[in-house]
Coordinates of all heavy atoms in Angstrom, one line a residue:
F1 N 32.0 42.1 34.2 CA 30.7 41.6 34.6 C 31.0 40.6 35.8 O 32.0 39.9 35.9 CB 30.0 40.9 33.5 CG 30.3 39.5 33.2 CD1 29.8 38.5 34.0 CD2 31.0 39.1 32.1 CE1 30.1 37.2 33.7 CE2 31.3 37.8 31.8 CZ 30.8 36.8 32.6
G2 N 30.0 40.6 36.7 CA 30.1 39.8 37.9 C 31.0 40.3 39.0 O 31.3 39.7 40.0
Q3 N 31.5 41.6 38.8 CA 32.4 42.1 39.8 C 31.7 43.1 40.7 O 30.8 43.8 40.3 CB 33.6 42.9 39.1 CG 34.4 42.1 38.1 CD 35.3 41.1 38.8 OE1 35.5 41.2 40.0 NE2 35.7 40.1 38.0
D4 N 32.2 43.1 42.0 CA 31.7 44.1 42.9 C 32.3 45.5 42.5 O 33.2 45.5 41.7 CB 31.9 43.7 44.3 CG 33.4 43.4 44.6 OD1 34.2 44.1 44.1 OD2 33.6 42.5 45.4
S5 N 31.9 46.5 43.2 CA 32.5 47.9 42.8 C 34.0 48.0 43.1 O 34.7 48.5 42.3 CB 31.7 49.0 43.6 OG 31.9 48.9 45.0
K6 N 34.4 47.5 44.2 CA 35.8 47.6 44.6 C 36.7 46.9 43.5 O 37.7 47.5 43.1 CB 36.1 46.9 46.0 CG 37.5 47.1 46.5 CD 37.7 46.5 47.8 CE 37.0 47.3 48.9 NZ 37.2 46.7 50.3
N7 N 36.3 45.7 43.1 CA 37.1 45.0 42.1 C 37.0 45.6 40.7 O 37.9 45.6 39.9 CB 36.8 43.5 42.1 CG 37.4 42.8 43.3 OD1 38.6 42.8 43.5 ND2 36.5 42.2 44.1
T8 N 35.8 46.1 40.4 CA 35.6 46.8 39.1 C 36.6 48.0 39.0 O 37.3 48.1 38.0 CB 34.2 47.3 39.0 OG1 33.3 46.1 38.9 CG2 34.0 48.1 37.7
F9 N 36.6 48.8 40.0 CA 37.4 50.0 40.0 C 38.9 49.6 40.0 O 39.7 50.3 39.3 CB 37.1 50.9 41.2 CG 35.7 51.5 41.1 CD1 35.0 51.7 42.3 CD2 35.0 51.7 39.9 CE1 33.7 52.1 42.3 CE2 33.7 52.2 39.9 CZ 33.1 52.4 41.1
A10 N 39.3 48.6 40.7 CA 40.7 48.2 40.8 C 41.1 47.7 39.4 O 42.2 48.0 38.9 CB 40.8 47.0 41.8
L11 N 40.2 46.9 38.7 CA 40.6 46.4 37.4 C 40.7 47.6 36.4 O 41.7 47.7 35.6 CB 39.4 45.5 36.8 CG 39.5 44.0 37.2 CD1 38.2 43.4 36.8 CD2 40.7 43.3 36.7
L12 N 39.8 48.6 36.5 CA 39.9 49.7 35.5 C 41.1 50.5 35.8 O 41.8 51.0 34.8 CB 38.6 50.6 35.7 CG 37.3 49.9 35.3 CD1 36.1 50.8 35.6 CD2 37.3 49.5 33.8
E13 N 41.5 50.7 37.0 CA 42.7 51.5 37.4 C 43.9 50.7 36.9 O 44.9 51.3 36.4 CB 42.8 51.7 38.9 CG 41.8 52.7 39.3 CD 41.6 52.8 40.9 OE1 42.4 52.1 41.5 OE2 40.7 53.5 41.4
W14 N 43.9 49.4 37.0 CA 45.0 48.6 36.5 C 45.2 48.7 35.0 O 46.3 48.9 34.4 CB 44.8 47.2 36.9 CG 46.0 46.3 36.6 CD1 47.1 46.0 37.4 CD2 46.2 45.5 35.4 NE1 47.9 45.2 36.7 CE2 47.4 44.9 35.5 CE3 45.4 45.4 34.2 CZ2 47.9 44.1 34.5 CZ3 45.9 44.6 33.2 CH2 47.2 43.9 33.3
F15 N 44.0 48.7 34.2 CA 44.1 48.8 32.8 C 44.6 50.2 32.4 O 45.3 50.4 31.5 CB 42.7 48.6 32.2 CG 42.1 47.2 32.3 CD1 40.8 47.0 32.5 CD2 43.0 46.1 32.2 CE1 40.3 45.7 32.7 CE2 42.5 44.8 32.4 CZ 41.1 44.6 32.6
E16 N 44.1 51.2 33.2 CA 44.6 52.6 32.9 C 46.1 52.8 33.1 O 46.8 53.5 32.4 CB 43.8 53.6 33.8 CG 44.2 55.0 33.7 CD 44.0 55.7 32.3 OE1 43.4 55.0 31.5 OE2 44.6 56.8 32.1
E17 N 46.6 52.1 34.2 CA 48.0 52.2 34.4 C 48.8 51.6 33.2 O 49.8 52.1 32.8 CB 48.4 51.4 35.7 CG 49.9 51.4 36.0 CD 50.2 50.5 37.2 OE1 49.3 50.2 38.0 OE2 51.3 50.0 37.2
Y18 N 48.3 50.5 32.7 CA 48.9 49.9 31.5 C 48.8 50.8 30.3 O 49.8 50.9 29.5 CB 48.3 48.5 31.2 CG 49.0 47.3 31.7 CD1 49.6 47.3 33.0 CD2 49.3 46.2 31.0 CE1 50.3 46.3 33.5 CE2 50.0 45.1 31.5 CZ 50.5 45.1 32.7 OH 51.2 44.1 33.2
R19 N 47.7 51.4 30.1 CA 47.5 52.3 29.0 C 48.5 53.4 29.0 O 49.1 53.8 28.0 CB 46.1 52.8 28.9 CG 45.8 53.7 27.7 CD 44.5 54.4 27.9 NE 44.6 55.5 28.8 CZ 45.1 56.7 28.4 NH1 45.6 57.0 27.2 NH2 45.2 57.7 29.3
R20 N 48.7 54.0 30.2 CA 49.7 55.1 30.3 C 51.1 54.7 30.0 O 52.0 55.5 29.7 CB 49.7 55.6 31.8 CG 48.4 56.4 32.1 CD 48.3 56.7 33.6 NE 47.1 57.4 33.9 CZ 46.9 58.7 34.0 NH1 47.9 59.5 33.7 NH2 45.8 59.2 34.3
R21 N 51.4 53.4 30.1 CA 52.7 52.8 29.7 C 52.8 52.5 28.2 O 53.8 52.0 27.8 CB 53.0 51.6 30.6 CG 53.0 51.8 32.1 CD 54.0 50.9 32.8 NE 53.9 49.5 32.4 CZ 53.3 48.6 33.2 NH1 52.8 49.0 34.3 NH2 53.3 47.4 32.9
G22 N 51.7 52.8 27.5 CA 51.8 52.6 26.1 C 51.1 51.3 25.6 O 51.1 51.1 24.4
I23 N 50.5 50.5 26.5 CA 49.8 49.3 26.1 C 48.4 49.7 25.6 O 47.8 50.6 26.2 CB 49.8 48.3 27.2 CG1 51.2 47.8 27.5 CG2 48.8 47.2 27.0 CD1 51.3 47.0 28.7
T24 N 47.9 49.1 24.6 CA 46.6 49.4 24.0 C 45.6 48.4 24.6 O 45.8 47.2 24.6 CB 46.6 49.2 22.5 OG1 47.5 50.2 22.0 CG2 45.2 49.5 21.9
V25 N 44.5 49.0 25.1 CA 43.4 48.2 25.7 C 42.2 48.3 24.7 O 41.8 49.4 24.3 CB 43.0 48.7 27.0 CG1 41.8 48.0 27.6 CG2 44.1 48.7 28.0
I26 N 41.7 47.1 24.2 CA 40.5 47.1 23.4 C 39.5 46.2 24.1 O 39.7 45.0 24.4 CB 40.8 46.5 22.0 CG1 42.0 47.3 21.3 CG2 39.6 46.4 21.1 CD1 42.4 46.7 20.0
M27 N 38.4 46.8 24.5 CA 37.5 46.2 25.4 C 36.0 46.2 25.0 O 35.5 47.3 24.6 CB 37.6 46.9 26.8 CG 36.5 46.5 27.8 SD 36.6 47.6 29.3 CE 38.2 47.3 30.0
V28 N 35.4 45.1 25.0 CA 33.9 45.0 24.8 C 33.3 45.2 26.1 O 33.6 44.6 27.1 CB 33.5 43.7 24.2 CG1 31.9 43.5 24.3 CG2 33.9 43.5 22.8
T29 N 32.4 46.2 26.2 CA 31.6 46.4 27.5 C 30.3 47.1 27.2 O 30.2 47.8 26.2 CB 32.4 47.2 28.5 OG1 31.7 47.4 29.7 CG2 32.7 48.6 27.9
H30 N 29.3 46.8 28.0 CA 28.0 47.5 27.9 C 27.9 48.6 28.9 O 26.9 49.3 29.0 CB 26.9 46.5 28.2 CG 26.7 45.5 27.1 ND1 26.3 45.8 25.8 CD2 26.7 44.1 27.1 CE1 26.2 44.8 25.1 NE2 26.5 43.7 25.8
D31 N 29.0 48.8 29.7 CA 28.9 49.8 30.8 C 29.3 51.2 30.3 O 30.4 51.5 30.0 CB 29.9 49.4 31.9 CG 29.7 50.1 33.2 OD1 29.2 51.3 33.2 OD2 29.9 49.5 34.3
D32 N 28.3 52.0 30.2 CA 28.5 53.4 29.7 C 29.4 54.2 30.6 O 30.1 55.1 30.2 CB 27.2 54.1 29.6 CG 26.3 53.6 28.4 OD1 26.9 53.0 27.5 OD2 25.1 53.8 28.4
H33 N 29.5 53.8 31.9 CA 30.4 54.5 32.8 C 31.9 54.4 32.3 O 32.7 55.3 32.4 CB 30.3 54.0 34.2 CG 29.0 54.3 34.9 ND1 28.0 53.4 35.0 CD2 28.5 55.5 35.4 CE1 27.0 53.9 35.6 NE2 27.2 55.2 35.8

């Protein structure tokens, strides 16, 4: 929340990179995307 699109996508890509390394991401969000 409060992020522009560039930083939103950068954050999500960063979390995805961590997930691929075996780290678990548990996230509260209202964003259906």
Side-chain angles (χ1 to χ4, degrees):
F1 87 77
Q3 301 293 343
D4 55 40
S5 63
K6 184 180 290 186
N7 285 303
T8 293
F9 298 145
L11 276 173
L12 295 174
E13 288 168 7
W14 186 89
F15 296 143
E16 175 63 10
E17 179 188 333
Y18 260 45
R19 186 192 73 82
R20 288 171 183 267
R21 300 214 307 261
I23 291 171
T24 296
V25 178
I26 304 178
M27 172 190 294
V28 168
T29 181
H30 290 300
D31 194 328
D32 288 340
H33 294 103

